[in-house]
Amino acid sequence: MNREQPFDVGAVRDVIAARRHMPGAMLPILHGIQDAVGFVPADAVPMIADALNVSRAEVHGVISFYHHFRQQPAGKHVIQVCRAEACQSVGSEALARHAEKLLGCAFHETTADGQFSLEPVYCLGLCACGPNVVVDGELHARVGADKLDRLLQAKRGAS
Amino acid sequence: MSVTIYVPRDSAAIALGANDVAVAISGEAKKRGVEIHIVRNGSRGMFWLEPMVEVATAQGRVAYGPVDPADVAGLFDAGFVQGGAHALEQGLTEEIPYLKNQERLTFARVGITDPVSLSDYLAHEGYAGLRRAIGMSSEAIVQEVLDSGLRGRGGAAFPTGIKWKTVANAQAAQKYIVCNADEGDSGTFSDRMVMEDDPFVLIEGMTIAGLAVGATQGYIYVRSEYPHAIAALNEAIATASQNGYLGANILGSGKAFRLEVRMGAGAYICGEETALLESLEGKRGVVRAKPPLPALEGLFGKPTVINNVISLATVPIVLARGAAFYKNYGMGRSHGTLPFQLAGNVKYGGLVEKAFGLTLRQLLEDFGGGTLSGRPIRAVQVGGPLGAYMPQQQLDTPLDYEAFAAIGAMVGHGGMVVFDDSVDMAQQARYAMEFCAIESCGKCTPCRIGSTRGVEVIDKIISNDNRPQQVHLLRDLCDTMLNGSLCAMGGLTPYPVLSALNHFPEDFGSPTEKAA
Ligand SMILES: Cc1cc2nc3c(=O)[nH]c(=O)nc-3n(C[C@H](O)[C@H](O)[C@H](O)COP(=O)(O)O)c2cc1C
Ligand code: SF4
Ligand code: FES
């Protein structure tokens, strides 16, 4: 088990209160929590279970099923590289290896200094202009090694 | 007088720099004292020209692209606000052959209008379908959709009218319309474009579906990878509700229809309709066994229409122009048009809406212009990650659901991913298995375990470890997945794998093994 990270309990409580009455409220609540605190803390699980009247195991099962939900905070900057077929056909695998080398960390990992998390994504719907990358939620198309260097450098400079 | 300049807000255009271009244009105009009005329209879908800027002139819209912010001062110098000549000038947008040679029905407005402007939508035939549907009985609406020959555009190509009829005939206090906007297939982006670039057409289609089957609540389940689509839909839904196009009393008809967007959470399997319903209900996206059909016991156990974005977005034109108009396009039992999507290693990647019946080669060569790398096309994967890899000798197949099925391929969602001769097909086969292993919902063994074993077996083939036996094993495994899987995830993953093995045996180290 990972050590529980500090988080804003009040924000979690507010999200749950605002969304618990929606039909099928589980995903909207999890999204709300992740948007508010950056991840879904383990201590939020019993709160959600209680509000929706389901078991903790069920809540945990949902969180772990979906790739989008994090149980730990991400690095300060999140870099996602598309690894699906259309991007592969124009060199995204070489770009993925370049990203790993540049950051010194593998996919699904965060750099030791906590600055960058590297994640795969399977298609962004920009398949006619790959390889494609998302940096902190911003889309970038036709990204080669040089462009990736510049994008990361800009984040390093800004951080 | 102020000049109207269009700079797309489609996320592909944004990814290519459209926001910076818009800022540069308004800055330069201010500096020069030129009065302009920037409209953030959708994309015409010619992505090699994005960001494509259009200027409204007396002759029509003149296109310039691809525009970099550094080009903007030069464009003003060349008098582009009057449609002046410039190296980036493409002439009248509507005359660009890529666009001119299309048959845009579902995409009639895409790229032309401001996506979130209701008045723009109304000025371009928007809501004509709903207005007609409101005066019809629900049976008559269903009949119109049946007569149009429209089949589901999400992959399985099931007739939309028949699905609607089942739900219309079901007795229940509550029914639902669910839009499958999970679009997880690589090489597809037409759903994204509709949602970002013409969200009202989807809203209108779902409202008509509600009237047709007696459903008062709709959900659009959009994947989390599409935040721009979610924002555009929410904006359009709010506007439609404020103006009486959604809500308790649609256009004074006394009929209610409400709509809500729900965000997915990065699981490919949630595109499968029953997994999607589970996800909407707040559970893990695990596939349900059928029967019962979602049409009878769907969302929260109630009768539910679940359709793809393009299927629903095509309904308004069917109602506005009539079933016969739509049905007259196409070939065989594939009626109407499909927004084909040219993706991957292709020179002119983008969206091409055409009637069914042209060949894959016509699309790839006449529209796509061959590969981006300039090398020969070696393989084309059609219909997403579960679709077959087609070799050169199959490229003359007409795009028609039945013609594709006859050669063990599928049109699916109409996305095609082009690979040049540098592709390693054994690696692509491995990827298909790996993707299935990552994305399997885990409910059945052939898919869950089979895909993991599949990766191992292909690794052994690649490293020449007992190759002939491993190839035999791989075929066996594919056979088990094909026949033993509960849904098409495990059931279709063998398509890309076997097509790679059959058509490109040399990449698996067996030059003698020929197409089975
Ligand atoms: C693994 C898997 C993924 C799918 N993904 C999608 C998808 O992203 N979008 C979609 O519309 N249909 C998808 N489908 C097909 C749906 O299950 C279903 O057939 C479709 O939503 C029905 O709508 P239609 O009749 O309008 O095509 C998928 C099917 C499978 C087996
Ligand atoms: S085939 Fe795969 S995805 Fe489909 S139900 Fe079985 S385990 Fe789930
Ligand atoms: S495959 Fe990378 S954006 Fe679609």
Side-chain angles (χ1 to χ4, degrees), chain A residues 85-146:
Chain A
E85 292 92 336
C87 285
Q88 287 170 22
S89 75
V90 285
S92 69
E93 282 309 288
L95 185 72
R97 285 192 295 277
H98 182 72
E100 288 180 320
K101 211 171 95 205
L102 213 56
L103 292 174
C105 83
F107 279 87
H108 303 289
E109 287 181 7
T110 298
T111 53
D113 62 2
Q115 286 296 300
F116 293 98
S117 291
L118 182 60
E119 296 179 349
V121 59
Y122 294 94
C123 194
L124 299 159
L126 311 175
C127 325
C129 40
N132 299 303
V133 165
V134 188
V135 180
D136 293 341
E138 276 189 21
L139 300 168
H140 299 276
R142 290 201 196 105
V143 180
D146 290 355

Side-chain angles (χ1 to χ4, degrees), chain A residues 22-24 26-27 31 61-62 65-69 83-86 88-89 122-128 139 141-142, chain B residues 15-16 47 186-187 189 192 223 226 260 262-266 279 282-285 343-345 381 385 418 428 431 439:
Chain A
M22 295 168 80
M26 180 80 83
L27 259 62
H31 276 299
V62 172
F65 182 85
Y66 294 96
H67 303 300
H68 180 83
F69 297 125
R83 304 190 75 172
E85 292 92 336
Q88 287 170 22
S89 75
Y122 294 94
C123 194
L124 299 159
L126 311 175
C127 325
L139 300 168
R142 290 201 196 105
Chain B
L16 291 163
F47 292 120
S186 168
F189 43 80
R192 176 185 69 68
R223 63 201 298 256
Y226 282 1
E260 195 182 317
R262 286 292 175 92
M263 202 200 295
S279 184
K283 305 177 201 148
R284 300 161 67 106
N345 196 333
Q381 188 178 27
V418 182
Q428 296 309 121
Y431 175 79
E439 299 296 338

Side-chain angles (χ1 to χ4, degrees), chain B residues 141-443:
Chain B
I141 303 173
V142 171
Q143 195 60 45
E144 193 83 45
V145 173
L146 259 176
D147 292 344
S148 74
L150 177 64
R151 292 163 70 178
R153 303 299 192 221
F158 186 80
T160 302
I162 292 181
K163 192 182 277 187
W164 287 20
K165 197 170 189 166
T166 310
V167 179
N169 290 337
Q171 297 300 314
Q174 178 70 58
K175 299 177 188 177
Y176 295 103
I177 309 296
V178 171
C179 173
N180 185 343
D182 200 53
E183 193 166 63
D185 287 359
S186 168
T188 63
F189 43 80
S190 60
D191 294 357
R192 176 185 69 68
M193 288 184 72
V194 162
M195 293 186 281
E196 289 181 1
D197 301 346
D198 195 16
F200 286 111
V201 80
L202 175 58
I203 295 169
E204 182 182 352
M206 291 182 74
T207 310
I208 294 169
L211 293 177
V213 306
T216 54
Q217 176 70 44
Y219 291 97
I220 309 175
Y221 184 92
V222 189
R223 63 201 298 256
S224 53
E225 292 86 345
Y226 282 1
H228 293 268
I230 292 171
L233 284 169
N234 278 326
E235 199 174 337
I237 287 171
T239 304
S241 304
Q242 279 152 21
N243 289 277
Y245 290 92
L246 285 173
N249 182 13
I250 309 156
L251 293 183
S253 65
K255 303 254 171 60
F257 191 69
R258 294 183 178 83
L259 204 46
E260 195 182 317
V261 175
R262 286 292 175 92
M263 202 200 295
Y268 178 77
I269 193 58
C270 290
E272 196 284 333
E273 57 186 13
T274 62
L276 188 153
L277 295 174
E278 290 285 301
S279 184
L280 265 179
E281 291 181 5
K283 305 177 201 148
R284 300 161 67 106
V286 175
V287 173
R288 295 178 185 169
K290 286 188 264 192
L293 290 173
L296 299 174
E297 286 179 44
L299 186 62
F300 304 117
K302 298 289 188 280
T304 301
V305 166
I306 175 160
N307 273 134
N308 165 260
V309 174
I310 302 297
S311 314
L312 289 163
T314 300
V315 165
I317 195 161
V318 167
L319 267 292
R321 303 274 183 102
F325 167 81
Y326 190 77
K327 192 173 190 169
N328 277 337
Y329 290 86
M331 79 175 265
R333 294 198 289 122
S334 302
H335 297 287
T337 58
L338 191 66
F340 298 102
Q341 299 133 89
L342 295 176
N345 196 333
V346 59
K347 192 167 179 194
Y348 303 121
L351 184 120
V352 179
E353 184 174 348
K354 284 292 277 183
F356 288 92
L358 80 169
T359 67
L360 187 52
R361 193 184 301 281
Q362 284 172 317
L363 258 185
L364 297 171
E365 290 176 2
D366 300 355
F367 287 91
T371 62
L372 181 67
S373 60
R375 303 168 67 113
I377 293 177
R378 180 144 185 254
V380 184
Q381 188 178 27
V382 184
L386 310 176
Y389 282 100
M390 300 174 67
Q392 271 292 340
Q393 59 271 26
Q394 289 187 336
L395 298 189
D396 293 306
T397 313
L399 286 148
D400 161 275
Y401 293 122
E402 278 69 35
F404 265 60
I407 58 162
M410 61 175 198
V411 176
H413 200 151
M416 30 215 74
V417 178
V418 182
F419 293 82
D420 72 11
D421 61 356
S422 66
V423 68
D424 178 342
M425 294 307 296
Q427 287 298 336
Q428 296 309 121
R430 183 187 192 280
Y431 175 79
M433 282 292 191
E434 189 185 21
F435 186 74
C436 183
I438 296 172
E439 299 296 338
S440 166
C441 87
K443 183 159 179 158

